[in-house]
Amino acid sequence: MTRNAVFKEPSPLLIRQVCHCSADPTLRKKKFFKYLDEYERLGLYCKRPKRLTPEREMYYREIREKKLMKYISDNWEMIESMRKYGF
């Protein structure tokens, strides 16, 4: 779905469509749309890179884990039926 290029960043329109269909509340915040507008104007870049410290890595890992556990608990029946049929 992304164009053929060295760095295959998705188009802002594709990002907006995926976010619109998502139930993730993070994708509805003003801060997210501020960054998406910036992405639309300037493309993919890093204005001020951050070093990945052990603390920051743990923070992001915890966010990912919480979202994954919520997804699993919300969709447990579907996951079990897919596992039952070998998907």
Side-chain angles (χ1 to χ4, degrees), residues 4 7 19 27 39 49 63 78:
N4 289 331
F7 301 106
C19 294
L27 304 176
Y39 173 72
I63 289 174
M78 179 189 66

Side-chain angles (χ1 to χ4, degrees), residues 8-38:
K8 298 181 180 189
E9 67 271 5
S11 72
L13 178 59
L14 178 61
I15 295 171
R16 288 183 190 278
Q17 289 171 336
V18 170
C19 294
H20 180 73
C21 295
S22 174
D24 187 346
T26 308
L27 304 176
R28 306 240 186 289
K29 294 184 176 183
K30 284 184 179 183
K31 184 177 183 179
F32 175 80
F33 284 106
K34 180 183 98 173
Y35 289 126
L36 185 56
D37 291 339
E38 187 176 294

Side-chain angles (χ1 to χ4, degrees), residues 58-74:
M58 186 171 67
Y59 170 75
Y60 288 120
R61 185 174 290 143
E62 287 174 1
I63 289 174
R64 181 184 177 278
E65 191 69 26
K66 285 178 187 176
K67 287 186 177 191
L68 181 61
M69 289 299 115
K70 181 168 178 12
Y71 178 83
I72 290 171
S73 66
D74 290 350

Side-chain angles (χ1 to χ4, degrees), residues 46 48-58 60:
C46 185
R48 189 181 56 140
K50 293 182 179 180
R51 291 210 180 269
L52 186 60
T53 63
E55 294 82 17
R56 196 170 279 144
E57 183 179 2
M58 186 171 67
Y60 288 120

